[in-house]
Amino acid sequence: MRRQSNAALASLLAMALLAATQVRAGSSDAAPALSTPCSNCLRIPVDHGQLTIALVEANTVRVQFRAERTAGTSAPAGGVDSLMLDPAWQPAVLPNVRQLETASTRELDASDVHVIWDKAQRELRIEDAAHRLLLRQHDLASLAQGKLQLTHDAADAMYGIGGYNAIESASAGLLRQGHQLATAGAQGHAGAPFVWSTAGYGLLVNSQGVSFVLADAHMDVQTPVGNIDYFILLGRPTEIFGTIARLSGHTPLFPKWAMGFTNSQWNIDQKELLSIIDTYRRKHIPIDNFTLDFDWKAWGEDDYGEFRWNPVKFPDGPSGKLKSLLDQRGMHLTGIMKPRVHVDTVEGRYATSHDLWLADTATSDDYFSHKPVRVIDFDKAAARAWFFNDALKHSFDTGIVGWWNDEADDSGGDSQFLNMQRALYDGQRAYSDQRVWSVNRNFWLGSQRYAYGLWSGDIATGFASMAGQRARMLSAVDVGAMQWGMDGGGFTHGHPSNENYARWVEFGAFTPIFRVHGDFNEKRQPWLYGSDAEAAATDAIRLRYALIPYIYSYEYARHIDGVGLVRPLAFDWPRDPQVRNDVDAWLFGDSLLVSPVVIEGQTSKDIYLPAGTWTDWFSGKAYRGGQRVRIAIDSVRWHDIPLFIRQGAIIPTQPVMDYVGQRPLTQLDVDMFPDDRRTTFDYYDDDGSTYAYEHGVSFRQSLALQRQNNAVHVEIGAVVGSCTPALAFYLLKIHRGSASAVNRESAALPSFDSLDALVKAGGEGWSSGHDRYGAVTYVRVKAAVAQDVVLSLAR
């Protein structure tokens, strides 16, 4: 176990459409629908209630069924108390929506979506921008029984609702069919009452306690009886998830150090900790975070032992001296947190006197301290306000700067884990401007508002378990859990083989949260797995660190657009049947496709590459997409990662450092693979540690790339944001083309005989050369300056 349009009208509309966004602070009863006409909505009387249909985003329809009151009763609340909707969300003002009415229909017509109410058939139809029928809702009388019935094309591939826990089979992959229960679940499960299709739509039900039956050409949804609130979202997968982020909340940025490598360990003391970190540094194996299990805290002791340092194992923890020693080494400490408190303690008696315990849970003996404990109810605002208490503030001040929240999934319900991390997020943000980081053992949509990462639970060691993590990660992404990680090397069932460890680290290097961990006394340092595994793991970690500028830019992109660093291939190729249920490969940002080795002793691997041109990162060999390719695998030294570059790629990299921010980054290398289509990348940076970016203190500059006939155009946009980083130059590496001239704003840049000469000159210019990808042109230009660069290619 462990671990803007008439302002008044807009205001009225907002009041109506915010009816079901109540968040556990009081009533779960939705406010009554307004009878005032609105330009963006239809109100339809139906059996036993009223239906309000409104356009709330350019691509989103909100439907609310308001059950009629019976004499002497209040309106049934239904299941609107879901915590999914962001309290700050408000419907968009959409001035170009038209209401149309004929003898047989009433319609809402907008550029991206068309809503048709068929009066005779008593049927609601949803069409896309091209008037293609996507969804049909019928039998509206069943809404009074909490039933929602929709039909769609039988060929539509369906995703979402839930992922997998640590021990169940993930063989079904990503597609969803049959009976599905939306729940946060336990042990690495991710869930949401959200189903979507690559056909161009999604359904989000704003409720807990929702089940789905997906079969053939229809979906049947059962919600709690009463008021019903749901959203129909249209668009490509990335557009749908952008809307999900607006509705349920955007993710705050993790600290930049969290883009790096984390080593977790159970059973450790200060002496061993420092020894391990010093070994990482001596071997130049990059690492930024060490996560401590029970060991860091005075677990079981009175006077807030659950929240403060263990002075025996970590004698320099309480004084802050250990923090100082780690700061000198560029290391961060994060620590485990539990949802329970020892009863016969000062903190336990406080919880009793203030009614903070979770109802219907009994006192039990803790498996680690063997003393009586009970679970805190984090759905209570008072419990959340208390949890980031003075003792925990002191631990934070002295070095515990992130939270590994464990076992709140054992309590049942969808919101316990969400609210546990909400307590830490709200507490830390009120106390410090230092960014919040966490990993947690389940996920419910809305959790992401609280700097919430998910890890896949107490998984077993071994190749089969490692292979299953692919479906676990991608299915979690399919319900909005974009910040995902796992116990690299496996947690239970002993010690991974050297090969298994090496391959697991290579896999982990291409996940959002990169960490290793093991059970009690199990250690996951690379040098403990033989020289071949150490070399393979070290190279994977160093590659991760070279890609930090790329990764961190996608951290910001996820914060803005809702789509994370990792995504299934169906997000970008929704019409390709070969990727409907592909868990073998995924996109790592827009430009990289990775397919880790997960089979013991594998000597070759067949990998499906979607449409386009792809280049092997390591060999430089180019492949035509839309086919399956076979590549050789190193079964002896495990020193390869199947990694492919998408044509049009823009990939910023940096020199490998022992930890994030070890040295100022003054030159950013940017690998570019021009395509006939225009591609873009927004390079992003900020201070990496505070929330100043929320106030515009950041650096963002767009890079665009396109090949046109015998020229390559690179557009570098104006800087957005008030941050001024150390970055002085971009070294653009334009692959597969040797330039005869390079011009900026029609003026020629100076040329140099070699890359070394160009760099040594210390200024701007260009040179030609050759690398594993073939001919390459190097162009060095000033950063933070808007400019257009044109390469004339040699014929």
Side-chain angles (χ1 to χ4, degrees), residues 183 642 656:
T183 175
V656 175

Side-chain angles (χ1 to χ4, degrees), residues 247-274:
L247 293 173
S248 65
H250 291 270
T251 55
L253 297 187
F254 273 175
K256 190 188 283 190
W257 58 256
M259 308 303 106
F261 179 54
T262 290
N263 189 158
S264 297
Q265 186 165 307
W266 185 9
N267 192 23
I268 193 171
D269 58 18
Q270 177 175 318
K271 182 179 179 180
E272 184 183 9
L273 173 66
L274 291 172

Side-chain angles (χ1 to χ4, degrees), residues 372-622:
V373 292
R374 195 174 174 190
V375 175
I376 298 295
D377 185 353
F378 291 98
D379 288 349
K380 295 179 177 180
R384 295 195 301 272
W386 168 76
F387 198 65
F388 201 81
N389 49 60
D390 288 345
L392 194 57
K393 289 174 184 176
H394 180 264
S395 297
F396 175 80
D397 288 338
T398 52
I400 299 298
V401 297
W403 317 107
W404 169 22
N405 300 321
D406 191 24
E407 298 175 348
D409 51 339
D410 293 344
S411 305
D414 297 322
S415 56
Q416 177 79 336
F417 240 131
L418 180 157
N419 274 322
M420 180 178 176
Q421 172 53 21
R422 182 184 177 188
L424 293 166
Y425 178 82
D426 289 347
Q428 183 177 326
R429 289 221 59 175
Y431 185 68
S432 169
D433 195 36
Q434 188 170 326
R435 290 185 204 167
V436 184
W437 177 88
S438 75
V439 289
N440 309 266
R441 209 170 64 177
N442 74 6
F443 175 89
W444 182 249
L445 189 61
S447 302
Q448 74 278 359
R449 299 194 296 268
Y450 306 111
Y452 193 103
L454 167 69
W455 101 91
S456 62
D458 297 349
I459 57 175
T461 61
F463 277 89
S465 176
M466 178 175 66
Q469 300 311 303
R470 301 169 302 170
R472 286 170 170 82
M473 174 177 69
L474 297 176
S475 63
V477 169
D478 276 349
V479 294
M482 300 290 173
Q483 292 159 292
W484 183 96
M486 59 185 166
D487 288 351
F491 178 67
T492 64
H493 300 171
H495 196 72
S497 70
N498 295 350
E499 180 183 2
N500 188 209
Y501 177 84
R503 292 305 190 189
W504 218 318
V505 173
E506 291 169 347
F507 179 171
F510 290 92
T511 63
I513 300 173
F514 181 23
R515 58 186 287 269
V516 292
H517 183 57
D519 204 343
F520 191 78
N521 284 330
E522 270 292 317
K523 305 181 192 303
R524 295 287 183 261
Q525 291 80 46
W527 54 87
L528 300 177
Y529 293 84
S531 59
D532 288 335
E534 179 182 351
T538 297
D539 283 352
I541 297 169
R542 288 175 178 165
L543 177 55
R544 171 77 173 212
Y545 275 71
L547 289 168
I548 291 294
Y550 179 82
I551 294 168
Y552 194 56
S553 295
Y554 282 102
E555 176 76 8
Y556 179 76
R558 187 205 64 246
H559 164 65
I560 296 299
D561 298 328
V563 178
L565 175 67
V566 163
R567 58 185 185 264
L569 299 182
F571 272 45
D572 285 60
W573 292 272
R575 294 182 178 88
D576 187 343
Q578 295 296 318
V579 303
R580 284 165 65 106
N581 207 23
D582 189 354
V583 301
D584 188 51
W586 54 88
L587 283 181
F588 190 72
D590 291 327
S591 296
L592 295 172
L593 180 151
V594 64
S595 180
V597 176
V598 295
I599 298 176
E600 185 175 14
Q602 191 168 19
T603 59
S604 67
K605 184 173 186 178
D606 293 339
I607 302 168
Y608 180 77
L609 300 176
T613 299
W614 300 87
T615 299
D616 187 299
W617 175 281
F618 295 99
S619 73
K621 183 177 179 179

Side-chain angles (χ1 to χ4, degrees), residues 314 387 731:
F314 295 89
F387 198 65
L731 179 63

